[in-house]
Amino acid sequence: MSSDLSIPSSIRRFVTGESPAMLIDGAHVPAVSGETFETLNPATGELLAHLPAADTPDVDRAVAAARRAFEDGPWATMKPFDRQRIMMRFADLVEANHEDLAILDTLDMGAPIQRMRGNLRRAVGMARFYAGLTTALRGETIANSIPGDFQTQTLREPVGVVGAIIPWNNPHIAFIWKVGAAIAAGCTVVLKPAEEASLSALWLGEMLLEAGLPNGVVNVVTGFGETAGAALSAHPGVDKIAFTGSTATGQAIVRAASSTLKRVTLELGGKSPNIVFKDADLDLAVPGAAMAAFINSGQVCSAGTRLFVERDIYDDFVSAMSAYSQSLTVGNGLDATTQLGPLVSQTQLERVTSYFAIGRAEGAAVSSGGERLVEGDFASGYYVAPTIFTDVHNEMRVATEEIFGPVVSVMAFDDYESVVRLANASPFGLGGGVWTNDLNKANRTVKALRTGTVWVNCYGQMDPAVPFGGYRMSGYGREGGVQHLDEFLETKAVWIQTH
Ligand code: NAP
Ligand code: MG
């Protein structure tokens, strides 16, 4: 298991055991307590860096900086065109440095470098998309019916200080997605990256400053969810929390936010259904369904982890998918031939392998994988084989709980009505897939599924201009698309009596 890449000088300071600082008010600062925590390379278990462990006093400082930048600073009142110029410069920096950003995220959380490189279009695209939206903000004039002469209009105003809390599974994308929309709307931000993958957030924060973003508009505090994240969620100086992560943490954030009734948007977990009808193009559907579940080693919120296959083709489909899964190359993400990297951490390794035992104990059969990989170089990293459970029932834990590893539970179905019922029998509603050559069946299924995204004869495509988010316990609010900015804007109604 080789790694083809050497460490570029631009990211050396993040990954050679030094202690990168946090970014508060445009300055590099340690935690007030001086405490740090380790971040490791999941491919090898080696130490990358010691990061400041922010707690309440650090969050207080960062929120105060963001508040100052919002109220006194030029950002919220800056002309849209000027905000746009800065954000476009940021996009150029992301583009120029993307290869190194990709390597940094691969080192930090393990995803294959090919996948990280593949983020280029979306990362830069999002930065430019949100930059573009700065000049598209607008209110309305509204005809009213009250006696007299009154003019009514709406103003759109930034909500204020945003607490952004992001996960580790696609770090630089998560940063640009959250921060891009918030600052395009004129908000200021305190961002807490995931403890497992904070490094690219620190670098992207620097790039924003280099692009000309005023101090304090975006602050990055590294630390743990239970301390820094919780302090941010409960903070009276924060007007809104934009969160991506697990459903359990989303619930904790809503509780913490309730004390100040701050606004919250939540992008949470899922157990997304993926439905293969017998008339599907199986040359597309077999690898499509496998990668819907296995891409990024299954560490994708919208992964298609409940796979429903029409009974007539079930056996053949499972054999073909098992053969495909066994052909996938698992390895160190720095190797350009790697298709599946390690899981992000020892904790996730334990979580995912525990489900191998749970599935077997529940009576599911394993048609592929189902084990940790430990031979040779695998031993020091957090590797598992892509895993297919068959003979699964929709009520089993492996079919109801989000595993967040390369594990798919396959179920046979007999007809359209029953598969729609089974697909919707989940508290989640994030993604979903339909594979069929029958346009009417595809359309009917798209409408029947209670999920925020449905992919037809494809799975997992994302674009800056297309909204993404969940139904039910997969969260609320939409990210991406023009309407994303609404999540960061207030609407002020204005009445003017005219004579
Ligand atoms: P997580 O534990 O919920 O963590 C997400 C973020 O929340 C991290 O920054 C975490 O900090 C922080 N956090 C943890 N506890 C907190 C608390 N009490 N208050 C405030 N913040 C807190 O999730 P994860 O394990 O990192 O990520 C995997 C999960 O995220 C999966 O369930 C996946 O489905 C979901 N996810 C959803 C989407 C989506 O778009 N819908 C995208 C990616 C991932 P620490 O790092 O210190 O724990
Ligand atoms: Mg790490």
Side-chain angles (χ1 to χ4, degrees):
M1 199 164 46
S2 64
S3 62
D4 298 341
L5 293 166
S6 56
I7 308 298
S9 57
S10 60
I11 62 169
R12 206 165 281 279
R13 66 204 159 105
F14 293 113
V15 295
T16 47
E18 290 169 39
S19 298
M22 305 190 286
L23 273 184
I24 297 181
D25 212 6
H28 288 89
V29 294
V32 170
S33 66
E35 298 285 320
T36 61
F37 66 98
E38 291 185 342
T39 190
L40 308 178
N41 177 347
T44 60
E46 286 162 4
L47 178 76
L48 294 174
H50 291 96
L51 289 167
D55 206 333
T56 305
D58 308 281
V59 171
D60 286 345
R61 280 168 69 183
V63 171
R67 175 61 53 195
R68 259 195 319 276
F70 183 69
E71 278 167 14
D72 310 337
W75 189 248
T77 50
M78 195 181 274
K79 297 290 182 203
F81 182 75
D82 296 323
R83 288 214 293 257
Q84 185 175 72
R85 187 186 291 120
I86 291 170
M87 291 183 66
M88 284 295 192
R89 261 191 238 131
F90 170 67
D92 291 344
L93 287 169
V94 171
E95 189 166 42
N97 291 288
H98 193 267
E99 169 69 8
D100 295 357
L101 265 174
I103 296 172
L104 183 58
D105 274 351
T106 288
L107 285 165
D108 207 1
M109 55 69 67
I113 188 67
Q114 291 299 19
R115 173 174 166 78
M116 283 301 165
R117 284 177 177 146
N119 278 332
L120 171 66
R121 179 190 294 266
R122 185 158 164 233
V124 179
M126 280 195 297
R128 296 212 171 107
F129 177 74
Y130 293 118
L133 291 183
T134 56
T135 52
L137 294 174
R138 62 201 164 83
E140 301 176 298
T141 57
I142 303 162
N144 65 72
S145 301
I146 68 164
D149 286 325
F150 293 89
Q151 180 186 309
T152 35
Q153 66 188 71
T154 58
L155 301 180
R156 306 306 307 278
E157 297 175 343
V159 295
V161 174
V162 171
I165 303 176
I166 59 175
W168 40 260
N169 58 345
N170 205 354
H172 71 272
I173 290 286
F175 180 102
I176 299 168
W177 212 0
K178 286 270 186 288
V179 169
I183 65 177
C187 292
T188 61
V189 179
V190 177
L191 177 127
K192 194 206 87 66
E195 67 188 69
E196 303 293 355
S198 301
L199 299 174
S200 61
L202 293 170
W203 194 17
L204 288 162
E206 291 176 5
M207 285 184 210
L208 281 165
L209 292 170
E210 192 183 337
L213 195 77
N215 290 346
V217 175
V218 172
N219 307 275
V220 182
V221 291
T222 52
F224 301 117
E226 301 73 43
T227 50
L232 196 54
S233 312
H235 204 292
V238 173
D239 299 294
K240 183 203 160 105
I241 295 287
F243 173 72
T244 299
S246 64
T247 295
T249 303
Q251 290 170 310
I253 284 172
V254 170
R255 282 192 292 273
S258 72
S259 58
T260 56
L261 290 179
K262 58 173 64 74
R263 289 168 59 168
V264 179
T265 45
L266 301 171
E267 297 283 358
L268 307 177
K271 194 75 187 177
S272 297
N274 195 12
I275 302 172
V276 183
F277 290 101
K278 65 184 176 192
D279 66 2
D281 178 343
L282 298 186
D283 291 340
L284 270 184
V286 168
M291 292 318 282
F294 298 152
I295 199 157
N296 211 32
S297 296
Q299 303 168 124
V300 176
C301 49
S302 53
T305 48
R306 285 187 302 142
L307 177 60
F308 298 96
V309 179
E310 197 157 3
R311 197 173 304 276
D312 296 5
I313 59 164
Y314 180 85
D315 289 336
D316 290 346
F317 195 92
V318 167
S319 329
M321 197 166 92
S322 297
Y324 179 81
S325 305
Q326 283 154 25
S327 77
L328 293 170
T329 306
V330 180
N332 187 325
L334 289 182
D335 187 326
T337 62
T338 291
Q339 291 168 288
L340 301 182
L343 297 171
V344 73
S345 64
Q346 177 72 30
T347 308
Q348 283 301 115
L349 177 70
E350 285 163 16
R351 180 181 161 79
V352 171
T353 51
S354 79
Y355 278 98
F356 296 158
I358 290 167
R360 288 185 170 100
E362 288 178 306
V366 175
S367 89
S368 191
E371 60 195 5
R372 179 180 178 187
L373 299 172
V374 288
E375 278 168 35
D377 290 347
F378 282 133
S380 50
Y382 314 127
Y383 295 93
V384 296
T387 296
I388 302 174
F389 277 121
T390 54
D391 300 342
V392 176
H393 298 289
N394 205 37
E395 302 76 33
M396 287 181 181
R397 287 183 64 191
V398 291
T400 54
E401 297 174 13
E402 183 174 52
I403 298 173
F404 229 56
V407 184
V408 64
S409 293
V410 198
M411 292 166 268
F413 70 91
D414 293 305
D415 54 52
Y416 172 82
E417 281 71 26
S418 66
V419 77
V420 164
R421 189 170 35 77
L422 286 169
N424 283 334
S426 163
F428 297 114
L430 192 56
V434 186
W435 302 81
T436 176
N437 280 329
D438 178 338
L439 181 62
N440 291 322
K441 198 189 281 177
N443 268 327
R444 229 177 344 136
T445 316
V446 163
K447 289 179 190 156
L449 291 180
R450 302 281 300 154
T451 69
T453 298
V454 184
W455 288 282
V456 179
N457 294 329
C458 60
Y459 204 97
Q461 284 68 19
M462 304 282 282
D463 187 87
V466 179
F468 181 81
Y471 284 27
R472 301 186 285 187
M473 288 187 80
S474 293
Y476 37 74
R478 289 293 177 274
E479 300 198 320
V482 174
Q483 57 270 61
H484 190 176
L485 254 53
D486 292 340
E487 312 283 2
F488 297 99
L489 292 168
E490 295 282 12
T491 300
K492 179 179 282 174
V494 184
W495 290 80
I496 302 171
Q497 184 163 16
T498 54
H499 299 286

